[in-house]
Amino acid sequence: MSRIVALLNRDGRPADAGTLRRLVAPLRIPGSAEARFRVAGNAGLAYQCLRASVAPDDIQPAALDPGLSICFDGRLDNREELIRDLRADLGPEPTDLPDSQLVLACYRRFGDLFAAKLNGDYALALFDMARQQMALARDVMGVRPLYFLASRDTLVAA
């Protein structure tokens, strides 16, 4: 399993890459690539990949546009169904899209109900900058764990 970390400063403070680095450091996977980070406004995502190399189209945190970003750990068992349902929203070669991009397209189409469309084992953190919202989701069986702490000022998930 890969590792994901999400940070949302609910009080509007800008997210800090240094804070994300400190949050992801204890999750380091020996022998894996360095963690990757995406900071946008008051939110940040970190992704620590289990594999030593990652295909260029599956680099995370992934973004659909500057305002939507995701860290996705897992697999989708209903890729074909999602591609069929989202065909109008996807590019010319939708079967080549990584699962993270399919989830972003699903969020864009179905909004807050997107996770009900996902089938597989996964944990994810998705940040919508326009709505200033961090969505957290995991598979219903809890195969991929997802923990969070929400205070008045900050949300942290891993």
Side-chain angles (χ1 to χ4, degrees), residues 101-117:
Q101 293 291 328
L102 284 176
V103 173
L104 284 172
C106 191
Y107 175 81
R108 179 175 273 161
R109 168 73 72 84
F110 300 108
D112 292 339
L113 302 176
F114 79 102
K117 305 287 185 183

Side-chain angles (χ1 to χ4, degrees), residues 20 36-40 43-46 61-70:
L20 271 175
R36 295 181 180 274
F37 302 91
R38 181 175 178 83
V39 176
L45 297 171
L64 191 56
D65 57 43
L68 278 181
S69 53
I70 190 172

